[in-house]
Amino acid sequence: SAVISQKPSRDICQRGTSLTIQCQVDSQVTMMFWYRQQPGQSLTLIATANQGSEATYESGFVIDKFPISRPNLTFSTLTVSNMSPEDSSIYLCSVVEGTHGYTFGSGTRLTVV
Amino acid sequence: GQNIDQPTEMTATEGAIVQINCTYQTSGFNGLFWYQQHAGEAPTFLSYNVLDGLEEKGRFSSFLSRSKGYSYLLLKELQMKDSASYLCAVRDEGKAGGSYIPTFGRGTSLIVHP
């Protein structure tokens, strides 16, 4: 199965600043997904990142707040912009393998103070 | 979209069997997943059901009834390391671009005690 390297693993940031999270996959994948998992909550899909086109955002998430890059088939970044304490969460990238089975990166635990 | 319901927390004894239920409502069912997530770690894939019936994989089995919108994850011979959150996720048709992205339930926190 694919191996995903996600970094940073954790960070503590000041409100109003931005953080960029990176995911590197060891194989080429068409779609990469970015999720958020708030404490005690389930995984919520932020957007789907496609190579060569703009990301597709889910309801409640906008590009200005969560800009995404997908420069090639093995790499993607998610930026959390103008952060507030409500953005404190775990952020995960994911890829789909075959017709089923999704592999996740190790996650980025973000705390905004 | 989906409405996924699973118990918040369950406890069980080491060596026992536990069944974690998941019910869902969806407009166009296209598969159900179970994931295991240990505290502070990423979810890991356990099972996938798209047809009715039981899928067995070692100590873990997953069952699906599409007509009832129901699944369960069965864990046998429980070990302490099975203490984790178990996430039910449902995929349906109709997502933008036909990408069939799953929606996750809130997860069931399983505590295994000696």
CSV table of all heavy atoms in Angstrom, one decimal, chain A residues 36-89:
chain,number,residue,atom,x,y,z
A,36,ARG,N,-10.1,17.1,8.2
A,36,ARG,CA,-9.9,17.7,9.6
A,36,ARG,C,-10.6,16.8,10.6
A,36,ARG,O,-11.8,16.4,10.3
A,36,ARG,CB,-10.5,19.1,9.6
A,36,ARG,CG,-10.3,19.8,10.9
A,36,ARG,CD,-10.8,21.3,10.8
A,36,ARG,NE,-12.2,21.4,10.8
A,36,ARG,CZ,-12.8,22.6,10.6
A,36,ARG,NH1,-12.1,23.7,10.5
A,36,ARG,NH2,-14.1,22.7,10.6
A,37,GLN,N,-10.0,16.6,11.7
A,37,GLN,CA,-10.6,15.9,12.8
A,37,GLN,C,-10.5,16.7,14.1
A,37,GLN,O,-9.4,16.8,14.7
A,37,GLN,CB,-9.9,14.5,13.0
A,37,GLN,CG,-10.6,13.6,14.0
A,37,GLN,CD,-10.0,12.2,14.0
A,37,GLN,OE1,-8.8,12.0,13.8
A,37,GLN,NE2,-10.9,11.2,14.3
A,38,GLN,N,-11.6,17.3,14.5
A,38,GLN,CA,-11.6,18.1,15.7
A,38,GLN,C,-11.7,17.1,16.9
A,38,GLN,O,-12.2,16.0,16.8
A,38,GLN,CB,-12.7,19.1,15.6
A,38,GLN,CG,-12.4,20.2,14.6
A,38,GLN,CD,-13.4,21.2,14.4
A,38,GLN,OE1,-14.6,20.9,14.3
A,38,GLN,NE2,-13.0,22.5,14.4
A,39,PRO,N,-11.3,17.6,18.1
A,39,PRO,CA,-11.3,16.7,19.3
A,39,PRO,C,-12.7,16.0,19.5
A,39,PRO,O,-13.7,16.7,19.5
A,39,PRO,CB,-11.0,17.7,20.4
A,39,PRO,CG,-10.2,18.7,19.8
A,39,PRO,CD,-10.8,18.9,18.4
A,40,GLY,N,-12.7,14.7,19.6
A,40,GLY,CA,-13.9,14.0,19.8
A,40,GLY,C,-14.8,13.9,18.7
A,40,GLY,O,-16.0,13.4,18.8
A,41,GLN,N,-14.4,14.4,17.5
A,41,GLN,CA,-15.3,14.4,16.3
A,41,GLN,C,-14.8,13.4,15.3
A,41,GLN,O,-13.7,12.9,15.4
A,41,GLN,CB,-15.4,15.8,15.8
A,41,GLN,CG,-15.9,16.8,16.7
A,41,GLN,CD,-17.3,16.6,17.2
A,41,GLN,OE1,-18.2,16.3,16.3
A,41,GLN,NE2,-17.6,16.7,18.5
A,42,SER,N,-15.6,13.2,14.3
A,42,SER,CA,-15.2,12.4,13.2
A,42,SER,C,-14.3,13.2,12.2
A,42,SER,O,-14.0,14.3,12.4
A,42,SER,CB,-16.4,11.9,12.5
A,42,SER,OG,-16.1,11.0,11.4
A,43,LEU,N,-13.9,12.5,11.2
A,43,LEU,CA,-13.1,13.1,10.1
A,43,LEU,C,-14.1,13.8,9.2
A,43,LEU,O,-15.1,13.3,8.7
A,43,LEU,CB,-12.4,12.1,9.3
A,43,LEU,CG,-11.1,11.5,9.9
A,43,LEU,CD1,-11.5,10.4,10.8
A,43,LEU,CD2,-10.2,11.0,8.8
A,44,THR,N,-13.8,15.1,8.9
A,44,THR,CA,-14.6,15.9,8.0
A,44,THR,C,-13.7,16.3,6.8
A,44,THR,O,-12.6,16.8,6.9
A,44,THR,CB,-15.0,17.2,8.7
A,44,THR,OG1,-15.8,16.9,9.8
A,44,THR,CG2,-15.9,18.0,7.7
A,45,LEU,N,-14.2,16.0,5.6
A,45,LEU,CA,-13.5,16.2,4.4
A,45,LEU,C,-13.5,17.7,4.1
A,45,LEU,O,-14.5,18.4,4.1
A,45,LEU,CB,-14.2,15.5,3.2
A,45,LEU,CG,-13.5,15.7,1.8
A,45,LEU,CD1,-12.1,15.0,1.9
A,45,LEU,CD2,-14.3,15.1,0.7
A,46,ILE,N,-12.3,18.3,3.9
A,46,ILE,CA,-12.1,19.7,3.6
A,46,ILE,C,-12.2,19.9,2.1
A,46,ILE,O,-13.0,20.7,1.6
A,46,ILE,CB,-10.7,20.2,4.1
A,46,ILE,CG1,-10.7,20.1,5.6
A,46,ILE,CG2,-10.5,21.7,3.6
A,46,ILE,CD1,-9.3,20.5,6.2
A,47,ALA,N,-11.4,19.1,1.3
A,47,ALA,CA,-11.3,19.3,-0.1
A,47,ALA,C,-10.6,18.1,-0.8
A,47,ALA,O,-9.9,17.3,-0.1
A,47,ALA,CB,-10.6,20.6,-0.5
A,48,THR,N,-10.9,18.0,-2.1
A,48,THR,CA,-10.2,17.0,-2.9
A,48,THR,C,-9.2,17.7,-3.8
A,48,THR,O,-9.6,18.7,-4.5
A,48,THR,CB,-11.2,16.2,-3.8
A,48,THR,OG1,-12.1,15.6,-2.9
A,48,THR,CG2,-10.5,15.2,-4.6
A,49,ALA,N,-7.9,17.3,-3.8
A,49,ALA,CA,-6.9,17.9,-4.5
A,49,ALA,C,-6.6,17.1,-5.8
A,49,ALA,O,-6.2,16.0,-5.7
A,49,ALA,CB,-5.6,18.1,-3.7
A,50,ASN,N,-6.8,17.7,-6.9
A,50,ASN,CA,-6.5,17.0,-8.2
A,50,ASN,C,-5.3,17.7,-8.9
A,50,ASN,O,-5.2,18.9,-8.9
A,50,ASN,CB,-7.7,17.1,-9.1
A,50,ASN,CG,-9.0,16.5,-8.5
A,50,ASN,OD1,-9.0,15.4,-8.0
A,50,ASN,ND2,-10.0,17.3,-8.3
A,51,GLN,N,-4.5,16.9,-9.5
A,51,GLN,CA,-3.3,17.5,-10.1
A,51,GLN,C,-3.7,18.2,-11.4
A,51,GLN,O,-4.5,17.6,-12.2
A,51,GLN,CB,-2.3,16.3,-10.4
A,51,GLN,CG,-0.9,16.8,-10.8
A,51,GLN,CD,-0.7,17.1,-12.3
A,51,GLN,OE1,-1.4,16.4,-13.1
A,51,GLN,NE2,0.1,18.0,-12.7
A,52,GLY,N,-3.3,19.4,-11.6
A,52,GLY,CA,-3.6,20.1,-12.8
A,52,GLY,C,-4.9,20.9,-12.8
A,52,GLY,O,-5.2,21.5,-13.8
A,53,SER,N,-5.6,20.9,-11.7
A,53,SER,CA,-6.8,21.6,-11.6
A,53,SER,C,-7.0,22.1,-10.2
A,53,SER,O,-6.3,21.7,-9.3
A,53,SER,CB,-8.0,20.8,-12.1
A,53,SER,OG,-8.2,19.7,-11.2
A,54,GLU,N,-8.0,23.1,-10.1
A,54,GLU,CA,-8.2,23.6,-8.7
A,54,GLU,C,-8.9,22.5,-7.8
A,54,GLU,O,-9.6,21.6,-8.3
A,54,GLU,CB,-9.2,24.8,-8.8
A,54,GLU,CG,-8.5,26.1,-9.1
A,54,GLU,CD,-9.3,27.3,-8.8
A,54,GLU,OE1,-10.4,27.1,-8.3
A,54,GLU,OE2,-8.8,28.4,-9.0
A,55,ALA,N,-8.6,22.7,-6.6
A,55,ALA,CA,-9.2,21.7,-5.6
A,55,ALA,C,-10.7,21.9,-5.5
A,55,ALA,O,-11.2,23.0,-5.8
A,55,ALA,CB,-8.5,21.9,-4.2
A,56,THR,N,-11.4,20.8,-5.2
A,56,THR,CA,-12.8,20.9,-5.0
A,56,THR,C,-13.1,20.9,-3.5
A,56,THR,O,-12.8,20.0,-2.8
A,56,THR,CB,-13.5,19.6,-5.6
A,56,THR,OG1,-13.1,19.5,-7.0
A,56,THR,CG2,-15.0,19.7,-5.5
A,57,TYR,N,-13.8,22.0,-3.0
A,57,TYR,CA,-14.0,22.2,-1.6
A,57,TYR,C,-15.4,21.7,-1.2
A,57,TYR,O,-16.4,21.9,-2.0
A,57,TYR,CB,-13.8,23.6,-1.3
A,57,TYR,CG,-12.4,24.1,-1.3
A,57,TYR,CD1,-11.7,24.4,-2.5
A,57,TYR,CD2,-11.6,24.1,-0.1
A,57,TYR,CE1,-10.4,24.8,-2.5
A,57,TYR,CE2,-10.2,24.4,-0.2
A,57,TYR,CZ,-9.7,24.8,-1.4
A,57,TYR,OH,-8.3,25.1,-1.4
A,58,GLU,N,-15.5,21.2,0.0
A,58,GLU,CA,-16.7,20.8,0.6
A,58,GLU,C,-17.5,22.0,1.2
A,58,GLU,O,-16.8,23.0,1.4
A,58,GLU,CB,-16.5,19.7,1.6
A,58,GLU,CG,-15.9,18.4,1.1
A,58,GLU,CD,-16.8,17.7,0.1
A,58,GLU,OE1,-17.9,17.4,0.3
A,58,GLU,OE2,-16.3,17.5,-1.1
A,59,SER,N,-18.7,21.8,1.4
A,59,SER,CA,-19.5,22.9,2.0
A,59,SER,C,-18.9,23.3,3.3
A,59,SER,O,-18.6,22.4,4.2
A,59,SER,CB,-21.0,22.4,2.2
A,59,SER,OG,-21.7,23.3,2.8
A,60,GLY,N,-18.8,24.6,3.5
A,60,GLY,CA,-18.2,25.1,4.7
A,60,GLY,C,-16.8,25.4,4.7
A,60,GLY,O,-16.2,25.9,5.7
A,61,PHE,N,-16.1,25.0,3.6
A,61,PHE,CA,-14.7,25.2,3.5
A,61,PHE,C,-14.4,26.0,2.2
A,61,PHE,O,-15.0,25.7,1.2
A,61,PHE,CB,-13.9,23.9,3.4
A,61,PHE,CG,-14.0,23.1,4.7
A,61,PHE,CD1,-15.0,22.1,4.7
A,61,PHE,CD2,-13.2,23.3,5.8
A,61,PHE,CE1,-15.1,21.3,5.9
A,61,PHE,CE2,-13.4,22.6,6.9
A,61,PHE,CZ,-14.3,21.6,7.0
A,62,VAL,N,-13.5,27.1,2.3
A,62,VAL,CA,-13.3,27.9,1.1
A,62,VAL,C,-11.8,28.0,0.9
A,62,VAL,O,-11.0,27.9,1.8
A,62,VAL,CB,-13.9,29.3,1.4
A,62,VAL,CG1,-15.4,29.3,1.4
A,62,VAL,CG2,-13.3,30.0,2.6
A,63,ILE,N,-11.5,28.3,-0.4
A,63,ILE,CA,-10.1,28.4,-0.8
A,63,ILE,C,-9.3,29.4,-0.1
A,63,ILE,O,-8.1,29.2,0.1
A,63,ILE,CB,-10.1,28.5,-2.4
A,63,ILE,CG1,-8.7,28.4,-2.9
A,63,ILE,CG2,-10.7,29.9,-2.8
A,63,ILE,CD1,-8.6,28.3,-4.4
A,64,ASP,N,-9.9,30.6,0.2
A,64,ASP,CA,-9.2,31.6,0.8
A,64,ASP,C,-8.7,31.2,2.2
A,64,ASP,O,-7.6,31.7,2.6
A,64,ASP,CB,-10.0,32.9,1.0
A,64,ASP,CG,-10.3,33.6,-0.4
A,64,ASP,OD1,-9.6,33.2,-1.3
A,64,ASP,OD2,-11.2,34.4,-0.5
A,65,LYS,N,-9.4,30.4,2.9
A,65,LYS,CA,-9.1,29.9,4.2
A,65,LYS,C,-8.1,28.7,4.2
A,65,LYS,O,-7.2,28.6,5.0
A,65,LYS,CB,-10.3,29.6,5.0
A,65,LYS,CG,-10.1,29.0,6.4
A,65,LYS,CD,-9.5,30.0,7.3
A,65,LYS,CE,-9.4,29.4,8.7
A,65,LYS,NZ,-8.7,30.3,9.7
A,66,PHE,N,-8.4,27.8,3.2
A,66,PHE,CA,-7.6,26.6,3.1
A,66,PHE,C,-7.1,26.4,1.7
A,66,PHE,O,-7.5,25.5,1.0
A,66,PHE,CB,-8.5,25.4,3.4
A,66,PHE,CG,-9.0,25.4,4.9
A,66,PHE,CD1,-10.3,25.8,5.1
A,66,PHE,CD2,-8.2,25.0,5.9
A,66,PHE,CE1,-10.8,25.8,6.4
A,66,PHE,CE2,-8.7,25.0,7.2
A,66,PHE,CZ,-10.0,25.4,7.5
A,67,PRO,N,-6.2,27.2,1.2
A,67,PRO,CA,-5.6,27.1,-0.1
A,67,PRO,C,-4.8,25.7,-0.2
A,67,PRO,O,-4.1,25.4,0.7
A,67,PRO,CB,-4.7,28.3,-0.3
A,67,PRO,CG,-4.4,28.8,1.1
A,67,PRO,CD,-5.6,28.4,1.9
A,68,ILE,N,-5.0,25.1,-1.3
A,68,ILE,CA,-4.4,23.8,-1.6
A,68,ILE,C,-3.5,23.9,-2.9
A,68,ILE,O,-3.9,24.5,-3.8
A,68,ILE,CB,-5.4,22.7,-1.7
A,68,ILE,CG1,-6.1,22.4,-0.4
A,68,ILE,CG2,-4.9,21.4,-2.3
A,68,ILE,CD1,-7.3,21.5,-0.4
A,69,SER,N,-2.4,23.2,-2.8
A,69,SER,CA,-1.6,23.1,-4.0
A,69,SER,C,-1.4,21.6,-4.4
A,69,SER,O,-1.4,20.7,-3.5
A,69,SER,CB,-0.2,23.7,-3.9
A,69,SER,OG,0.7,22.9,-3.1
A,70,ARG,N,-1.3,21.3,-5.6
A,70,ARG,CA,-1.1,19.9,-6.1
A,70,ARG,C,-0.2,20.0,-7.3
A,70,ARG,O,-0.7,19.8,-8.5
A,70,ARG,CB,-2.4,19.3,-6.4
A,70,ARG,CG,-2.3,17.8,-6.8
A,70,ARG,CD,-2.2,16.9,-5.5
A,70,ARG,NE,-1.7,15.6,-5.9
A,70,ARG,CZ,-2.3,14.6,-6.4
A,70,ARG,NH1,-3.6,14.7,-6.6
A,70,ARG,NH2,-1.7,13.5,-6.6
A,71,PRO,N,1.1,20.2,-7.2
A,71,PRO,CA,1.9,20.5,-8.3
A,71,PRO,C,2.2,19.2,-9.1
A,71,PRO,O,2.6,19.4,-10.3
A,71,PRO,CB,3.2,21.0,-7.7
A,71,PRO,CG,3.2,20.4,-6.3
A,71,PRO,CD,1.8,20.4,-5.9
A,72,ASN,N,2.1,18.0,-8.5
A,72,ASN,CA,2.4,16.8,-9.3
A,72,ASN,C,1.6,15.7,-8.6
A,72,ASN,O,0.8,15.9,-7.7
A,72,ASN,CB,3.9,16.5,-9.3
A,72,ASN,CG,4.5,16.4,-7.9
A,72,ASN,OD1,4.0,15.7,-7.1
A,72,ASN,ND2,5.5,17.2,-7.7
A,73,LEU,N,1.8,14.5,-9.1
A,73,LEU,CA,0.9,13.3,-8.7
A,73,LEU,C,1.4,12.7,-7.4
A,73,LEU,O,0.8,11.7,-7.0
A,73,LEU,CB,0.9,12.3,-9.8
A,73,LEU,CG,0.2,12.7,-11.1
A,73,LEU,CD1,0.3,11.6,-12.2
A,73,LEU,CD2,-1.3,12.9,-10.8
A,74,THR,N,2.4,13.2,-6.8
A,74,THR,CA,2.9,12.6,-5.5
A,74,THR,C,2.9,13.6,-4.4
A,74,THR,O,3.3,13.2,-3.3
A,74,THR,CB,4.3,12.0,-5.7
A,74,THR,OG1,5.2,13.1,-6.0
A,74,THR,CG2,4.4,11.0,-6.8
A,75,PHE,N,2.5,14.8,-4.6
A,75,PHE,CA,2.7,15.8,-3.5
A,75,PHE,C,1.5,16.8,-3.5
A,75,PHE,O,0.9,17.1,-4.5
A,75,PHE,CB,4.0,16.6,-3.8
A,75,PHE,CG,4.4,17.6,-2.8
A,75,PHE,CD1,5.0,17.2,-1.6
A,75,PHE,CD2,4.1,19.0,-2.9
A,75,PHE,CE1,5.4,18.1,-0.6
A,75,PHE,CE2,4.5,19.9,-2.0
A,75,PHE,CZ,5.2,19.4,-0.8
A,76,SER,N,1.2,17.2,-2.2
A,76,SER,CA,0.1,18.2,-2.1
A,76,SER,C,0.4,19.0,-0.8
A,76,SER,O,1.0,18.5,0.2
A,76,SER,CB,-1.2,17.6,-2.0
A,76,SER,OG,-2.3,18.6,-1.8
A,77,THR,N,0.0,20.2,-0.7
A,77,THR,CA,0.0,21.0,0.5
A,77,THR,C,-1.3,21.6,0.8
A,77,THR,O,-2.1,21.9,-0.1
A,77,THR,CB,1.0,22.2,0.4
A,77,THR,OG1,0.6,23.2,-0.5
A,77,THR,CG2,2.4,21.7,0.0
A,78,LEU,N,-1.6,21.8,2.1
A,78,LEU,CA,-2.8,22.5,2.6
A,78,LEU,C,-2.3,23.6,3.5
A,78,LEU,O,-1.5,23.3,4.4
A,78,LEU,CB,-3.7,21.5,3.4
A,78,LEU,CG,-4.8,22.1,4.2
A,78,LEU,CD1,-6.0,22.5,3.2
A,78,LEU,CD2,-5.3,21.2,5.3
A,79,THR,N,-2.8,24.8,3.3
A,79,THR,CA,-2.4,25.9,4.1
A,79,THR,C,-3.7,26.3,4.9
A,79,THR,O,-4.8,26.4,4.4
A,79,THR,CB,-2.0,27.1,3.3
A,79,THR,OG1,-0.8,26.7,2.6
A,79,THR,CG2,-1.6,28.3,4.2
A,80,VAL,N,-3.5,26.4,6.2
A,80,VAL,CA,-4.5,27.0,7.1
A,80,VAL,C,-4.2,28.4,7.3
A,80,VAL,O,-3.1,28.7,7.9
A,80,VAL,CB,-4.6,26.2,8.4
A,80,VAL,CG1,-5.8,26.7,9.3
A,80,VAL,CG2,-4.7,24.7,8.2
A,81,SER,N,-5.0,29.3,6.8
A,81,SER,CA,-4.7,30.7,6.8
A,81,SER,C,-5.4,31.5,7.9
A,81,SER,O,-6.4,31.1,8.3
A,81,SER,CB,-5.1,31.3,5.4
A,81,SER,OG,-4.5,30.7,4.3
A,82,ASN,N,-4.7,32.6,8.3
A,82,ASN,CA,-5.3,33.5,9.3
A,82,ASN,C,-6.0,32.7,10.4
A,82,ASN,O,-7.2,32.8,10.7
A,82,ASN,CB,-6.3,34.4,8.6
A,82,ASN,CG,-6.8,35.5,9.5
A,82,ASN,OD1,-6.2,35.9,10.4
A,82,ASN,ND2,-8.0,36.0,9.2
A,83,MET,N,-5.1,32.0,11.1
A,83,MET,CA,-5.7,31.0,12.0
A,83,MET,C,-6.3,31.6,13.3
A,83,MET,O,-5.8,32.7,13.8
A,83,MET,CB,-4.5,30.0,12.5
A,83,MET,CG,-4.1,29.1,11.3
A,83,MET,SD,-2.9,27.9,11.9
A,83,MET,CE,-1.4,28.9,11.9
A,84,SER,N,-7.3,30.9,13.8
A,84,SER,CA,-7.9,31.3,15.1
A,84,SER,C,-7.9,30.0,15.9
A,84,SER,O,-7.7,28.9,15.4
A,84,SER,CB,-9.3,31.8,14.8
A,84,SER,OG,-10.1,30.7,14.3
A,85,PRO,N,-8.2,30.1,17.2
A,85,PRO,CA,-8.2,28.9,18.1
A,85,PRO,C,-9.2,27.9,17.6
A,85,PRO,O,-9.0,26.7,17.8
A,85,PRO,CB,-8.7,29.5,19.4
A,85,PRO,CG,-8.1,30.9,19.4
A,85,PRO,CD,-8.3,31.4,18.0
A,86,GLU,N,-10.3,28.3,16.8
A,86,GLU,CA,-11.2,27.3,16.3
A,86,GLU,C,-10.6,26.4,15.3
A,86,GLU,O,-11.2,25.3,14.9
A,86,GLU,CB,-12.4,28.0,15.7
A,86,GLU,CG,-13.3,28.7,16.7
A,86,GLU,CD,-12.7,29.9,17.3
A,86,GLU,OE1,-11.9,30.6,16.6
A,86,GLU,OE2,-12.9,30.2,18.5
A,87,ASP,N,-9.5,26.8,14.7
A,87,ASP,CA,-8.8,25.9,13.7
A,87,ASP,C,-7.9,24.8,14.4
A,87,ASP,O,-7.4,24.0,13.7
A,87,ASP,CB,-7.9,26.8,12.8
A,87,ASP,CG,-8.7,27.7,12.0
A,87,ASP,OD1,-9.8,27.3,11.5
A,87,ASP,OD2,-8.3,28.9,11.8
A,88,SER,N,-7.8,24.8,15.7
A,88,SER,CA,-7.1,23.8,16.4
A,88,SER,C,-7.7,22.5,16.1
A,88,SER,O,-8.9,22.2,16.4
A,88,SER,CB,-7.0,24.1,17.9
A,88,SER,OG,-6.4,25.3,18.2
A,89,SER,N,-6.9,21.6,15.6
A,89,SER,CA,-7.5,20.3,15.1
A,89,SER,C,-6.4,19.4,14.6
A,89,SER,O,-5.2,19.8,14.6
A,89,SER,CB,-8.5,20.6,13.9
A,89,SER,OG,-9.2,19.4,13.5
